[in-house]
Each structure stands twice: as structure tokens, then as C-alpha cells.
Amino acid sequence: MRLDYLSIFPAYFDVLDISLVGKAAINGLVEIHAHDLRDWTHDRHRTVDDTPCGGGAGMVMKPDPWGEAFDEIIGTESDPSVHVIFPAPSGTPFTQSAAAELSSAQRIVFCCGRYEGIDHRVIDYARSMWTVHEVSLGDYVLNGGEVAALAITEAVVRLVPGFMGNPESLAEESFSAGQDGLLEYPLFTRPVSWRGLDVPEVLMSGHHGRIASWRRDESVRLTRERRPDLTDSDSSGIH
Ligand SMILES: CN1CCN(Cc2ccc(Cn3ccc4ccc(-c5n[nH]c(N)c5C#N)cc43)cc2)CC1
């Protein structure tokens, strides 16, 4: 899997060299390429933004540098196997199932906007050439797309076959299909007693049936408490 990042702050992606994703890069599972969008400007100030047509606050990212960067990084041929991701507050909420789908992609290009956003013709052009995803991390405002690109990268790469040492652990995570769409149960490890707080006895009983039942009950309780929106979904197993 090749991952490209287009941003005016490419140094955001240096962190990928030290994280788990970095290890995947070392063992050849993923290739990471960060690019400075200003490398595709031609004026002395390396300008990437301009005032919004129709008025309004702030600045909008000009289409020209994006188009030239696309030509060089992706090419000028249409190819639906190339996934181009535009993080944006107006995007579709990014989910675990979206991460799972993207984990089989061979090429993902993250377009990290800043200011008030990117000229919409950039997205329209990209849609005419590749498979485009306009996604949002959640209902809060960030200053740009870089943090979202990092989060989406981690969510996707950890699902790439061969990346996780123990793929079984993926099945028991919150939001994974294997978890019935429920939040995962509380976790404990040694010491059994810590600052007057004890590990629930059932987990020390060695009785696998009771442990499984306790964990399921805890997942149902937490999901009802924190994510009632998940309790009505078909996959949740609780209604
Ligand atoms: C006319 N007004 C109408 C309201 N908008 C709102 C607005 C638009 C952009 C920005 C800053 N920004 C620029 C690129 C970019 C990408 C992603 C995100 C982002 N924020 N939150 C998420 N979950 C994100 C993700 N993923 C933010 C971004 C901030 C606020 C401004 C213009």
C-alpha cells in the first residue's frame, strides 16, 4: 500500500516514521510519501490561498497547486483504484467499516486542506479521475486535514493483513464486526489488587463461560450508557 500526503505542513507526517505505521513501512507493508503543496506554486511567496468568491471570512485554497501536484504524484490518467481522501468538517463520518474497506486499497492519497477549505473544483476534478472520499473525524472543528489524515492512516494500516502481530485482537475491538457493534468491555491485568481496587473476581475464576458472560454484559451496559445510537443498529445484537 502506497500512502501519499499533500499538505502545506508535510512535517506533520514525520511522526509516521516512529510509530507502528513506521514499522509497517520498514517491513514493506506500506510506503509513505509526504509532499509540500507549496512545491507546486510558482510565485515568490509560494501562494496557496486566495479570498473566497462571493465573499465571506477567511481564505480558500487555490485549485492550481493541487492540480499540478495531482499530475505529478498520481498522474493524468483516470484510475478508480486510486483512493483520494479529503478530510473536511462537511465530510461523511469516518467509520471502522470505512477503514476496513480502505485497508485493501493499493494507493491512498490524503489531501490535507487548511484555511476555510479547498476550492471545490479540486474535489470535482479528483472525482472525475479517481475514487474520492470526503470524510470527517467527528463533530468538532480542527484547523486542517492533517490530524484527520493521521488518524485515518492508523485506523486503516492496522487492518492491513500482516500488520498486526495478533490479528485475533482485532476481532474483539469496539466497532469491529466481531463485537456485535458493541463497545468493548473494561480491561484488567496484574496486580489483582491496586490502591484498594481489585480485579473483578469473575475474571480470576478461570470459568470461561462466566467470564464471557460478564464481558458481554459489560459491553451491553457501556454501549447503552455511552452510545445509545449503537443499540438500535442491526449489528448491535441489543435492541
Ligand atoms: C464559510 N465557513 C463555513 C464553516 N466552515 C467550517 C470550517 C472549515 C474548515 C476548517 C479548517 N479546515 C481546513 C481544512 C480542514 C479539513 C478538516 C477539518 C476538520 N474539522 N473537523 C473535522 N472533524 C475535520 C475533519 N476531517 C477542518 C479543516 C475549519 C472550519 C468554514 C467556512
Side-chain angles (χ1 to χ4, degrees):
M1 178 187 284
R2 173 170 168 149
L3 301 171
D4 287 273
Y5 302 84
L6 260 173
S7 164
I8 58 173
F9 298 118
Y12 257 90
F13 303 100
D14 293 353
V15 70
L16 293 177
D17 295 338
I18 59 174
S19 68
L20 275 178
V21 179
K23 289 185 178 51
I26 291 166
N27 63 34
L29 273 177
V30 295
E31 239 185 272
I32 293 174
H33 301 267
H35 312 273
D36 186 343
L37 183 69
R38 294 188 194 277
D39 288 350
W40 288 277
T41 61
H42 306 289
D43 64 303
R44 191 157 58 93
H45 298 294
R46 308 184 83 203
T47 308
V48 292
D49 62 313
D50 201 342
T51 53
C53 294
M59 301 295 275
V60 175
M61 298 191 90
K62 296 162 54 70
D64 318 69
W66 292 97
E68 292 186 29
F70 287 163
D71 292 350
E72 187 171 329
I73 294 169
I74 314 177
T76 52
E77 299 296 314
S78 174
D79 181 353
S81 75
V82 176
H83 291 261
V84 181
I85 297 180
F86 292 89
S90 58
T92 304
F94 189 74
T95 62
Q96 185 67 16
S97 55
E101 282 174 36
L102 284 167
S103 66
S104 58
Q106 284 313 302
R107 184 104 204 252
I108 300 176
V109 180
F110 290 92
C111 299
C112 303
R114 280 273 155 169
Y115 306 100
E116 304 298 326
I118 302 171
D119 184 302
H120 201 75
R121 290 169 294 180
V122 173
I123 295 151
D124 288 340
Y125 172 76
R127 281 195 189 284
S128 73
M129 298 286 282
W130 308 296
T131 300
V132 166
H133 310 264
E134 292 180 78
V135 298
S136 168
L137 272 198
D139 294 339
Y140 42 83
V141 180
L142 301 170
N143 290 330
E146 289 81 6
V147 165
L150 285 169
I152 293 167
T153 297
E154 186 152 309
V156 169
V157 171
R158 65 195 303 276
L159 299 178
V160 170
F163 175 77
M164 289 293 276
N166 172 17
E168 283 168 30
S169 63
L170 294 176
E172 285 207 341
E173 292 178 336
S174 290
F175 313 109
S176 65
Q179 196 61 4
D180 275 351
L182 295 174
L183 300 183
E184 66 192 12
Y185 46 80
L187 299 173
F188 299 86
T189 186
R190 286 181 289 268
V192 172
S193 191
W194 176 73
R195 295 189 177 191
L197 300 167
D198 296 344
V199 171
E201 275 183 36
V202 64
L203 298 181
M204 307 309 293
S205 68
H207 194 296
H208 299 299
R210 287 191 199 135
I211 291 169
S213 176
W214 180 87
R215 285 175 166 171
R216 166 81 185 188
D217 291 349
E218 283 296 290
S219 287
V220 168
R221 177 182 64 79
L222 281 173
T223 307
R224 283 195 170 130
E225 216 171 84
R226 298 180 184 167
R227 291 297 303 275
D229 58 302
L230 294 179
T231 55
D232 297 333
S233 69
D234 294 342
S235 63
S236 77
I238 50 173
H239 300 287

